[in-house]
Amino acid sequence: MTSKNKSSPKTSLPDGYYKIQILDIILSKNHKGYGYHLKIPYDIVAPKKYANFFDDHYKMQSTEDQIYVGYTYVALPYSSNQNSNSSVTQKLKEFINALEESNPDYTYNGSFENMSGLVLGAYIENKLYNCSNGYICKIKVITRFCSVEEYEFEQFVYTTMFPLNDDSASSSITTCREEE
């Protein structure tokens, strides 16, 4: 973050659609050691109220062992399953399609090296997680990737339906209906 936010610190991130930017792509072995996934540090760029949410969270920590929590993970299908319809393959396709639709000069060529700095839309949810220390905490999970155009549409629809509610990101219509 280049400048301090003069408003109160961003302590919560409501479920909703956000425009995000990929900061890096890290190819990692999975926990079982026989597969790979992409570890993707990212941060929010829009809506503006939540821009740099994870960077700000990191900088607010006062301990020496600061933890950056703006990561998402995309599993890679095994080479024999590249053309399958598995959920792993579908999630990777969703991610790549969102990148290509959001960045007109980008075409996926089988390499993950040129993805840093690209933007895309994402639906982020708060989920409960059992931590290794026995505590239950909330983590931010990207449950869906989409194009920036779809993010902007969701933002427009939400602000049209709820013009006075400026305390949350654009929640999906489905989420709004579930709450009614």
Side-chain angles (χ1 to χ4, degrees), residues 114-175:
N114 298 326
M115 292 181 177
S116 295
L118 297 179
V119 295
L120 66 156
Y123 190 84
I124 301 174
E125 289 184 25
N126 291 281
K127 296 208 175 207
L128 296 178
Y129 179 75
N130 292 321
C131 300
S132 59
N133 61 7
Y135 290 102
I136 296 177
C137 60
K138 276 189 180 177
I139 60 171
K140 314 303 187 236
V141 178
I142 293 178
T143 58
R144 183 167 181 277
F145 295 106
C146 63
S147 68
V148 169
E149 182 178 353
E150 185 175 342
Y151 153 76
E152 290 169 347
F153 173 76
E154 291 292 340
Q155 188 78 324
F156 169 77
V157 169
Y158 187 76
T159 55
T160 301
M161 288 178 61
F162 304 100
L164 300 176
N165 186 359
D166 61 1
D167 285 342
S168 65
S170 60
S171 297
S172 72
I173 300 303
T174 306
T175 302

Side-chain angles (χ1 to χ4, degrees), residues 24-28 37-41 68 71-74:
D24 197 5
I25 296 285
I26 303 160
L27 182 62
S28 302
H37 64 265
L38 300 176
K39 181 178 181 179
I40 307 169
Y68 188 83
Y71 287 99
T72 192
Y73 301 86
V74 176

Side-chain angles (χ1 to χ4, degrees), residues 30-117:
N30 67 16
H31 294 292
K32 295 179 182 177
Y34 56 80
Y36 290 90
H37 64 265
L38 300 176
K39 181 178 181 179
I40 307 169
Y42 70 95
D43 213 339
I44 295 170
V45 294
K48 189 175 182 178
K49 177 178 181 177
Y50 297 101
N52 301 311
F53 180 86
F54 296 110
D55 186 49
D56 291 350
H57 178 270
Y58 177 79
K59 289 178 179 177
M60 283 183 358
Q61 297 174 41
S62 58
T63 62
E64 286 184 24
D65 55 344
Q66 293 171 301
I67 299 172
Y68 188 83
V69 295
Y71 287 99
T72 192
Y73 301 86
V74 176
L76 298 177
Y78 298 116
S79 58
S80 61
N81 291 344
Q82 290 290 331
N83 296 320
S84 77
N85 257 349
S86 72
S87 61
V88 169
T89 303
Q90 291 302 315
K91 192 59 151 182
L92 179 62
K93 287 179 181 177
E94 178 184 89
F95 175 67
I96 291 169
N97 288 340
L99 284 174
E100 289 180 333
E101 291 173 11
S102 301
N103 302 278
D105 295 334
Y106 175 77
T107 302
Y108 177 67
N109 63 2
S111 171
F112 302 108
E113 294 175 6
N114 298 326
M115 292 181 177
S116 295

Side-chain angles (χ1 to χ4, degrees), residues 2-32:
T2 56
S3 64
K4 282 283 183 192
N5 185 351
K6 293 181 183 175
S7 63
S8 62
K10 302 171 228 169
T11 57
S12 66
L13 185 69
D15 293 358
Y17 280 94
Y18 297 88
K19 181 178 176 183
I20 64 171
Q21 182 174 33
I22 295 174
L23 304 177
D24 197 5
I25 296 285
I26 303 160
L27 182 62
S28 302
K29 270 195 176 266
N30 67 16
H31 294 292
K32 295 179 182 177

